[in-house]
Amino acid sequence: MTVTRSRKKIRFSLGVDNVLSYLSEKNIIDPAQLSEATIQPKLCKNFNLIIEISDQEKLLLKQEPFDETGNVKGDLSREWCIHQFGQQCPDFSFLKPLISQASFFDTESSILGLTYLINYDDLETWYDTQLTYPPTLAYAVGSTLAKIHRGTLDQVSAKTFLSRNDRPSTRRSREHPDFIQSLGQVTPETFGEVTEDGLKFYELLQRYASLEQAIAQLTPLYTPCCLIHNDLRFANLLVHHQWQSQAREHPEEDAAPVRVIDWEKWRWGDPTFDLGRLVAEYLKRWLRSLMASQDVPIEQALRLATTPLEQVQPSIRQLVRGYWHQFPEVTQRFPDFLARVMRFAGWGLIESLRAHVYYYDFPGNVGICQLQVAKSLLCAPDASMPVVFGEDELRLSDTPAIPPLPAPPLPAIEE
Ligand SMILES: Nc1ncnc2c1ncn2[C@@H]1O[C@H](COP(=O)(O)OP(=O)(O)O)[C@@H](O)[C@H]1O
Ligand SMILES: [Mg+2]
């Protein structure tokens, strides 16, 4: 199947018409079960396919696009690497209930097979349908992320396994990200790739000199010390339908309340980057609900938000508390923990705006508000805290909303 994306032609190996014969040829599904199977395409970042084998059994096939020269970026082989890490390294098997369950990777066709977890929804869909932001859910999200960071913190064996199994091209360039470079420079190609409206994003970025400086300072600030997801969005988190009871009653079982999925962009990185990115997700819920019209003054747009900031602030507070209760050492490691989270939240807002501009266009007033909030977070992180948390000071030692899950003992650092 061929698709045109961002004016480039890309090709996927599988479509609705040939997926069943592929599964049969590869002996992935018993041919007897295939006659009953139904197929549901799921177009996300990739062109994914859900194969319903029975009421209780579904398979998710993720496939990567091949470009015009017949190459893939290799993102799915990177995701497979994280699953192998959880499956093959006993010291890190704690990861298994915290991520999804992969069953095979077809290197040649770049197809990853995963168990489709029927008792979960992704958090983006959950918030879209429930239209409520329970702070306890955000607490469970923070706590889950902290387990992954804490469990791999300074673990040389983890770092060695992951870098050995990573693709050589990403291995070299991945110690410290260059934030300015990753924004992309305006080149003659940009004019071909981005709409005229989208160029406004680059224009505004250049207008704020202090913003560019603050972004450049993220590179020396960034401290790689554990496994991070590096692409945390609500759509990349799964929430169990019974998350409230799972959190208390079955913390270590398969039915984990929250799982982190879509590990294509993982890296050995800075944990405050991931947490900041999630804070940005909550802020985006507020920002995206602003009146989008160019004719509405920004002050009025802020007042008319259908998701007011006050609605997401309790979740932001509990997200950070849940994280810290599970990983209290993080504030010793990073005495400026909250300020770093603010800065990376600012970066998260800019990065998601850049992606929006690349795939769609510049979202008018909403985009301008998003950029201004990002600028405050990046240039004045301490002053931004009361705005983001909705309290003068976030006291991390406050009593948790739900009892914290027992933290595993910190593994020793290998020589
Ligand atoms: N194992 C799973 N069980 C249930 N739903 C899943 C699973 N993996 C992914 N999904 C759903 O499919 C969507 C896309 O999967 P993801 O791995 O994020 O792929 P992409 O790289 O295309 O974003 C997710 O946002 C989620 O809604
Ligand atoms: Mg995804």
Side-chain angles (χ1 to χ4, degrees):
M1 193 184 71
T2 306
V3 175
T4 305
R5 185 180 280 173
S6 285
R7 297 171 205 178
K8 288 181 188 138
K9 273 215 169 81
I10 51 176
R11 183 179 59 79
F12 289 101
S13 311
L14 296 182
V16 178
D17 47 342
N18 61 352
V19 62
L20 292 184
S21 49
Y22 168 83
L23 292 171
S24 156
E25 272 162 32
K26 298 273 175 189
N27 286 323
I28 293 165
I29 299 185
D30 182 351
Q33 287 183 302
L34 278 178
S35 56
E36 300 293 314
T38 57
I39 310 153
Q40 193 190 327
K42 190 166 174 91
L43 190 56
C44 299
K45 186 169 75 249
N46 299 309
F47 180 67
N48 303 327
L49 293 162
I50 301 169
I51 319 300
E52 184 168 348
I53 301 158
S54 71
D55 280 358
Q56 292 305 310
E57 198 183 350
K58 288 188 187 183
L59 176 70
L60 173 70
L61 293 182
K62 284 184 75 170
Q63 50 176 339
E64 219 178 329
F66 287 83
D67 64 17
E68 280 154 330
T69 57
N71 291 314
V72 291
K73 280 207 276 180
D75 287 348
L76 289 183
S77 90
R78 303 196 73 242
E79 180 167 352
W80 177 236
C81 172
I82 295 302
H83 290 280
Q84 285 184 306
F85 175 55
Q87 285 162 14
Q88 293 177 9
C89 306
D91 287 349
F92 302 100
S93 60
F94 71 89
L95 269 182
K96 283 195 277 183
L98 308 180
I99 63 177
S100 49
Q101 298 163 351
S103 46
F104 72 90
F105 179 60
D106 175 346
T107 318
E108 209 179 305
S109 311
S110 212
I111 291 169
L112 179 65
L114 301 122
T115 305
Y116 191 83
L117 300 162
I118 53 172
N119 293 320
Y120 288 79
D121 280 322
D122 70 68
L123 191 53
E124 180 88 8
T125 308
W126 197 93
Y127 282 141
D128 282 348
T129 49
Q130 306 288 323
L131 299 174
T132 160
Y133 296 91
T136 42
L137 177 53
Y139 187 96
V141 170
S143 168
T144 302
L145 181 64
K147 282 185 196 173
I148 298 173
H149 290 165
R150 188 186 192 219
T152 54
L153 182 74
D154 295 331
Q155 294 295 306
V156 178
S157 59
K159 190 177 178 189
T160 309
F161 179 96
L162 292 169
S163 74
R164 204 185 306 126
N165 288 281
D166 196 4
R167 285 176 309 126
S169 58
T170 37
R171 222 184 289 156
R172 269 195 308 278
S173 61
R174 291 186 82 84
E175 266 294 289
H176 270 254
D178 183 335
F179 289 90
I180 290 283
Q181 200 189 28
S182 68
L183 270 181
Q185 256 108 45
V186 181
T187 61
E189 285 78 54
T190 318
F191 290 89
E193 284 176 351
V194 173
T195 60
E196 208 174 295
D197 215 16
L199 285 174
K200 190 161 187 193
F201 166 70
Y202 291 98
E203 229 179 84
L204 285 168
L205 267 186
Q206 279 166 4
R207 203 182 296 169
Y208 303 132
S210 59
L211 178 58
E212 199 169 339
Q213 237 172 34
I215 294 174
Q217 283 165 4
L218 293 177
T219 297
L221 181 81
Y222 192 93
T223 310
C225 57
C226 64
L227 170 65
I228 71 161
H229 182 277
N230 204 33
D231 186 25
L232 272 183
R233 287 178 273 140
F234 287 153
N236 287 338
L237 292 162
L238 295 182
V239 186
H240 196 282
H241 295 161
Q242 309 295 329
W243 62 271
Q244 275 166 303
S245 50
Q246 303 299 351
R248 287 166 207 271
E249 291 155 25
H250 311 282
E252 305 307 335
E253 286 183 16
D254 269 3
V258 173
R259 289 171 186 260
V260 186
I261 60 165
D262 196 358
W263 282 87
E264 296 173 22
K265 306 270 187 266
W266 68 266
R267 63 183 294 159
W268 195 254
D270 186 319
T272 56
F273 179 96
D274 268 357
L275 189 57
R277 189 69 180 76
L278 278 182
V279 169
E281 283 293 280
Y282 284 102
L283 293 176
K284 268 164 55 188
R285 285 266 151 175
W286 157 58
L287 288 164
R288 296 238 166 116
S289 79
L290 301 180
M291 290 283 292
S293 164
Q294 299 284 358
D295 307 326
V296 179
I298 287 176
E299 297 69 34
Q300 196 183 348
L302 287 168
R303 272 200 313 277
L304 294 176
T306 52
T307 304
L309 182 56
E310 295 77 41
Q311 206 176 327
V312 291
Q313 279 165 339
S315 282
I316 300 178
R317 291 198 293 271
Q318 287 307 87
L319 168 80
V320 175
R321 283 199 187 109
Y323 184 91
W324 184 73
H325 285 141
Q326 190 61 232
F327 186 10
E329 305 85 352
V330 75
T331 41
Q332 284 150 26
R333 182 62 166 256
F334 301 110
D336 57 344
F337 170 62
L338 289 179
R340 296 170 76 96
V341 173
M342 292 298 103
R343 288 168 146 194
F344 286 122
W347 168 254
L349 291 180
I350 290 189
E351 224 295 306
S352 82
L353 202 53
R354 188 201 60 79
H356 197 279
V357 165
Y358 185 79
Y359 288 107
Y360 311 102
D361 56 10
F362 186 77
N365 259 352
V366 172
I368 295 174
C369 287
Q370 188 158 327
L371 215 51
Q372 285 180 347
V373 174
K375 181 169 169 277
S376 307
L377 291 164
L378 278 156
C379 300
D382 290 316
S384 304
M385 281 181 213
V387 180
V388 172
F389 295 123
E391 286 176 359
D392 288 346
E393 196 189 346
L394 179 74
R395 287 177 306 279
L396 287 175
S397 53
D398 281 358
T399 318
I402 54 169
L405 305 172
L410 255 192
I413 300 171
E414 276 187 17
E415 288 307 317

